[in-house]
Amino acid sequence: MAGRHSSERSSLLVSLPVIVFSGLLCLLTAFYGKKTFSFYLMIIFLFSFISRCWAALSASKVDAHIGVSAYGVFPQESMEVELRVKNNKFLPIAWLDLYMPVPKSEALVPSENRIPDSWEKAGLSDLGASEDIVGSKRLGRMLWYEESVFFIHMDANRRGVCRFDSWRLFTGDGLGLSDSDIKLEKGIAVAVYPKIVDVDCRPFLKNLWNSSTGAKGVMEDMTVIRSTRDYQAGDGIKNINWRLLARALPLTVNIYEDILPKSIHLIFDGESFAKHPEELETALSVIASELLVLKEHEMRCILSLPLGKGGGASTVDDDIQEALFSMASYEPVGDEFDQEKGEMVPSISSFDLYSLSVSSSKAGHFFYFTYDAENMPQTGALDLIDGEKVTIVSFMNIPISGDWGHLFLSDLIKRGGR
């Protein structure tokens, strides 16, 4: 694999114009008998040419692959990135440097970092990376046909997604004049999930009895007797109505009230939080925390997120890892330009209405998370659902009236659970 010359990190002496110009000028001065001047130009030409060729050869036939210890972590946790490098040639590698741009959110930061130099900031801005911090690690040298594994420690700070497409591995000549970068594997991303807080799941659990049929089948509530019937061969002894039998009545069995499998649908109106970034993080933390707790109660949870900067609207059905990743990558669209009004207007959450329509007849209860329940924008999501099956969860502690149930987001956070 051939390396690519890095002009921003290399000396001007190894640039192609300087090499070509010094070579031609050396020949011209020699032709006109300017031997001393021609000698110095030849030295410049040789140093520049050899340095550039050395760097190119050092970066050639080098395989570099990135692996991660986890594809998702929570804030305040850490993880390791494995960099495996193999030199497939006889020429040793004089040095190796790893350059690691950090996401603008600084969600995941290498423990070995520094403040970028002024000339680096323009490139970092073009990449959409942080201009305040950049990861940098010296990996040392490698012998011929040597394979080495390097580990980079990463610290998770806040919610977001870190992609390694912009990471670059540099090598070059022993003179320190020319740098070439080695292509790294693309497409790997690690999500930093929302912060986990201590939450109260009782408002969700009390809706179990109205939940819809699912893969786990119908259960029975042993505390509620719907009716009785005559005993039949094969009936369990635990279902016999002993009270009626004690009255010398015929042997009967109890028929208990059916409880349908536990299933709820959480809908997050992200655009209502667009101008409230801290409240947005709090709401996502509560949702993520509730999903983890409800998973322990074997509740089937569906999560709907609207269209955001990072991707389209999504509905995740009972997949906790995918739900956490979706929340990690979600960013509100924010204000948009309205051509009719000729001004910027707040964006309204755009959901996958087809998935909501399908879920409306399956999920037992819906929880709609919004910033202000009194001034909710018309997203169209609630029009598909029976109002008696909806509970609005608002960040603002302003009560509302109507068929919907209503909760405050703060009611879901236990004291000291932030």
Side-chain angles (χ1 to χ4, degrees):
M1 185 181 297
R4 183 180 59 180
H5 179 71
S6 176
S7 57
E8 70 272 13
R9 295 173 60 95
S10 302
S11 169
L12 287 175
L13 287 174
V14 298
S15 62
L16 285 177
V18 171
I19 293 175
V20 172
F21 180 76
S22 61
L24 290 175
L25 198 57
C26 175
L27 293 175
L28 286 173
T29 52
F31 179 78
Y32 287 105
K34 306 293 184 179
K35 295 182 180 179
T36 303
F37 195 36
S38 177
F39 175 76
Y40 287 121
L41 286 172
M42 182 181 66
I43 291 177
I44 293 174
F45 169 78
L46 289 176
F47 264 92
S48 301
F49 182 74
I50 292 172
S51 175
R52 178 124 180 186
C53 290
W54 189 351
L57 290 172
S58 291
S60 66
K61 296 183 179 180
V62 176
D63 294 331
H65 301 280
I66 288 178
V68 294
S69 59
Y71 288 96
V73 292
F74 291 98
Q76 312 310 317
E77 292 184 345
S78 60
M79 58 162 294
E80 284 190 335
V81 176
E82 178 187 279
L83 175 63
R84 188 175 296 272
V85 184
K86 186 175 182 180
N87 183 16
N88 297 303
K89 60 182 182 297
F90 183 74
L91 178 68
I93 297 175
W95 54 269
L96 275 174
D97 280 356
L98 182 61
Y99 185 72
M100 301 167 282
V102 173
K104 206 171 196 66
S105 63
E106 298 181 13
L108 199 62
V109 178
S111 57
E112 297 183 64
N113 56 71
R114 58 178 173 81
I115 298 175
D117 295 328
S118 56
W119 62 268
E120 294 177 299
K121 292 185 177 181
L124 292 172
S125 178
D126 292 340
L127 292 171
S130 171
E131 299 177 39
D132 300 321
I133 189 171
V134 65
S136 182
K137 183 178 178 67
R138 292 190 176 275
L139 305 179
R141 64 186 66 186
M142 291 184 68
L143 299 176
W144 47 88
Y145 300 105
E146 182 181 1
E147 182 175 6
S148 298
V149 179
F150 307 96
F151 294 96
I152 300 91
H153 187 84
M154 307 285 290
D155 297 314
N157 295 326
R158 59 182 61 85
R159 184 182 66 86
V161 175
C162 178
R163 304 187 185 277
F164 301 99
D165 294 351
S166 58
W167 281 26
R168 300 170 71 184
L169 184 62
F170 290 100
T171 186
D173 64 300
L175 303 175
L177 297 177
S178 180
D179 286 13
S180 292
D181 66 38
I182 299 168
K183 185 178 180 181
L184 290 172
E185 186 178 359
K186 305 294 184 183
I188 295 180
V190 172
V192 180
Y193 302 142
K195 180 182 177 181
I196 300 304
V197 295
D198 194 8
V199 293
D200 184 2
C201 67
R202 287 176 297 178
F204 299 91
L205 295 177
K206 73 178 183 180
N207 289 284
L208 298 182
W209 321 116
N210 299 323
S211 299
S212 69
T213 303
K216 295 184 179 180
V218 176
M219 299 176 289
E220 292 181 329
D221 184 358
M222 304 298 288
T223 64
V224 181
I225 300 175
R226 186 174 62 191
S227 63
T228 60
R229 62 168 173 80
D230 294 338
Y231 179 85
Q232 298 176 1
D235 287 335
I237 192 172
K238 67 177 181 179
N239 294 334
I240 294 176
N241 192 317
W242 297 102
R243 181 177 298 176
L244 296 179
L245 184 62
R247 297 178 181 176
L249 294 174
L251 187 60
T252 57
V253 293
N254 297 325
I255 298 178
Y256 298 104
E257 189 65 44
D258 289 337
I259 305 172
L260 301 173
K262 302 171 282 187
S263 174
I264 61 170
H265 195 139
L266 311 182
I267 305 172
F268 181 61
D269 180 9
E271 291 302 328
S272 66
F273 290 88
K275 296 182 179 180
H276 312 280
E278 292 185 7
E279 290 82 355
L280 170 71
E281 299 303 323
T282 300
L284 287 173
S285 291
V286 170
I287 294 174
S289 303
E290 293 287 5
L291 286 176
L292 290 173
V293 174
L294 295 172
K295 190 66 176 178
E296 295 177 358
H297 287 81
E298 298 184 352
M299 180 181 284
R300 176 171 168 261
C301 297
I302 307 168
L303 173 68
S304 286
L305 295 175
L307 173 73
K309 288 182 179 179
S314 62
T315 295
V316 183
D317 191 343
D318 204 28
D319 188 331
I320 186 66
Q321 294 300 326
E322 185 179 351
L324 289 172
F325 192 94
S326 297
M327 285 188 285
S329 60
Y330 175 74
E331 291 295 336
V333 174
D335 291 348
E336 295 183 308
F337 183 76
D338 190 320
Q339 293 184 349
E340 294 182 0
K341 296 182 178 179
E343 59 183 11
M344 300 296 291
V345 297
S347 178
I348 297 177
S349 293
S350 176
F351 293 98
D352 179 1
L353 296 182
Y354 174 76
S355 297
L356 284 174
S357 176
V358 172
S359 180
S360 64
S361 61
K362 293 184 177 181
H365 205 81
F366 291 79
F367 290 86
Y368 189 89
F369 289 77
T370 189
Y371 179 76
D372 184 358
E374 191 177 34
N375 300 293
M376 286 191 301
Q378 298 298 318
T379 63
L382 296 178
D383 296 339
L384 305 171
I385 309 165
D386 181 1
E388 294 182 355
K389 296 173 63 176
V390 176
T391 296
I392 306 297
V393 184
S394 62
F395 187 90
M396 297 293 290
N397 291 356
I398 301 175
I400 61 172
S401 58
D403 295 335
W404 298 320
H406 188 207
L407 288 172
F408 299 133
L409 191 73
S410 57
D411 294 336
L412 300 178
I413 305 175
K414 293 183 178 179
R415 291 185 178 179
R418 287 186 179 274

